[in-house]
Amino acid sequence: MTLRISLRNGEPVIVNGAVLRAVGRTDLVLENGATILRGREVMKPQDADTPAKQLYFACMMAYIDPADIARHQQTLLQRLETLMTALESPEAKGVCVHFAEKVAIGQFYQALGECRWLIAYEADALARVPPAPAPEAATPAA
């Protein structure tokens, strides 16, 4: 199976745990199986600031760091449980089930796609929450 990847100048890519950076516009052709993530698919730890993003980050780590898979899988289970508890939508819960099925058979890259759907769903749900009212200024007692 051949995979062709086009990278922009300066775009990073992770291949089998090694971080590479494109110099100029670069096309890579992958001739065999490898663990690969383009820069736009990589999430930094500080960006995992919601339950769905934390699930994505844990899945990404399981994908790119197979040497520590047991720890990553434990974190994945915890994050998935947290998210499933918070979700009410049957559709979102169904996506979580598909995610869990993919993780169970080691298809972490495909599971990341389910996480991207969950992140978008979560962002949409949070956008519907009205902003909290500003606290009223305390008036001094007379």
Side-chain angles (χ1 to χ4, degrees):
M1 177 178 116
T2 301
L3 174 66
R4 183 184 190 100
I5 298 169
S6 294
L7 301 170
R8 296 180 298 257
N9 183 34
E11 184 176 6
V13 63
I14 298 173
V15 179
N16 289 342
V19 179
L20 309 172
R21 185 166 309 279
V23 176
R25 181 146 178 86
T26 304
D27 287 337
L28 299 175
V29 177
L30 206 59
E31 299 287 343
N32 61 346
T35 300
I36 187 162
L37 275 180
R38 291 169 294 197
R40 58 185 158 257
E41 298 170 322
V42 176
M43 181 179 287
K44 296 176 183 169
Q46 62 269 24
D47 294 334
D49 56 1
T50 68
K53 289 179 181 180
Q54 290 169 356
L55 184 65
Y56 182 96
F57 185 78
C59 185
M60 180 192 76
M61 291 305 298
Y63 179 58
I64 65 173
D65 183 23
D68 205 3
I69 192 70
R71 182 172 61 90
H72 298 309
Q73 285 178 323
Q74 183 63 33
T75 303
L76 269 170
L77 289 174
Q78 292 168 348
R79 300 296 185 220
L80 183 57
E81 183 179 358
T82 298
L83 189 59
M84 287 285 289
T85 301
L87 294 173
E88 293 181 4
S89 161
E91 181 181 14
K93 286 185 182 244
V95 171
C96 286
V97 170
H98 288 234
F99 169 84
E101 290 169 346
K102 289 175 181 165
V103 166
I105 58 174
Q107 293 182 340
F108 296 108
Y109 185 80
Q110 292 81 355
L112 289 172
E114 304 293 345
C115 281
R116 284 189 285 277
W117 187 94
L118 289 166
I119 290 169
Y121 174 83
E122 180 182 62
D124 184 53
L126 291 173
R128 292 189 306 263
V129 174
E136 292 182 30
T139 54

